[in-house]
Amino acid sequence: MALLPILVAPDPRLKLKAVPAAEVTDEIRQLLDDMLETMYAAPGIGLAAPQVGVSKRIIVVDISRDEEPKAPLCMVNPELVWLSDEDAAYEEGCLSVPEHYAEVVRPAAIRVAYLDRDGKKQELETDGLLATVIQHEMDHLDGILFIDHLSSLKRNMILRKLVKSRRQVPEPVS
Ligand SMILES: [Zn+2]
């Protein structure tokens, strides 16, 4: 297992459309394990492969609370097969947009089809926080960040702050 470096916006690799994994190989299972370890260490409740620089349609999610047993979900090639008409709003954050949070409106319930870590086809119907996190992580597979759901004014303000906070080397004075 290994901790993977998490890309931070506006890294252009976060804007790429990821490609499906041809099959769930040992290499993919290793990636899933590394992504889970990286997510738990961050700590976060979801992580998508593009966030660690791997342009594949793979996400991991675990919304269990500290005192609860871990409940990792590994999804390879996830596809939304149903969305509810009803919407829900959640305050979202993202490991690739550190220290910024904003309310995002998404369908309240979903059904998602995916391959599990054994390569078996699975379907999950869910709502609440889990539905939101899965949609947030799946957005990453299409190069979409939660800030892309905000007004451009808000988004640009957050991106400017991220660029500023990452600039560690002082700018030369001339
Ligand atoms: Zn995210």
Side-chain angles (χ1 to χ4, degrees):
M1 301 247 271
L3 285 182
L4 307 168
I6 298 174
L7 304 181
V8 172
D11 192 303
R13 285 169 290 179
L14 290 168
K15 302 308 290 176
L16 297 174
K17 193 173 163 68
V19 296
E23 55 178 332
V24 184
T25 57
D26 285 345
E27 194 187 336
I28 299 276
R29 273 184 283 274
Q30 180 67 55
L31 173 65
L32 288 165
D33 289 344
D34 290 345
M35 284 172 62
L36 281 170
E37 192 185 0
T38 303
M39 178 187 78
Y40 288 132
I45 54 175
L47 188 67
Q51 291 180 275
V52 292
V54 178
S55 196
K56 289 206 171 105
R57 303 188 78 80
I58 294 172
I59 65 170
V60 295
V61 173
D62 188 344
I63 61 158
S64 64
R65 291 174 184 275
D66 290 344
E67 67 276 14
E68 294 171 347
K70 284 192 166 73
L73 259 176
C74 295
M75 297 183 164
V76 177
N77 304 342
E79 270 180 64
L80 291 169
V81 292
W82 174 79
L83 297 168
S84 66
D85 292 332
E86 197 191 326
D87 287 334
Y90 272 94
E91 181 99 332
E92 295 191 19
C94 180
L95 296 174
S96 296
V97 188
E99 286 161 42
H100 292 275
Y101 302 88
E103 192 167 88
V104 178
V105 176
R106 302 178 186 273
I110 60 168
R111 192 182 311 130
V112 57
Y114 62 98
L115 300 177
D116 66 16
R117 55 174 293 133
D118 297 317
K120 272 202 214 126
K121 273 191 188 167
Q122 303 282 354
E123 269 198 24
L124 173 72
E125 190 169 321
T126 189
D127 59 5
L129 178 62
L130 185 55
T132 289
V133 178
I134 290 171
Q135 290 175 84
H136 172 119
E137 300 311 328
M138 285 183 67
D139 265 359
H140 279 296
L141 307 181
D142 292 319
I144 298 166
L145 302 173
F146 82 92
I147 53 174
D148 293 318
H149 292 278
L150 311 178
S151 70
S152 60
L153 189 73
K154 243 181 179 173
R155 177 170 58 251
N156 290 332
M157 196 184 72
I158 290 173
L159 286 172
R160 266 203 308 277
K161 282 184 181 162
L162 284 173
V163 170
K164 228 184 203 172
S165 65
R166 270 199 309 165
R167 208 180 281 145
Q168 291 157 343
V169 185
E171 288 193 73
V173 183
S174 55

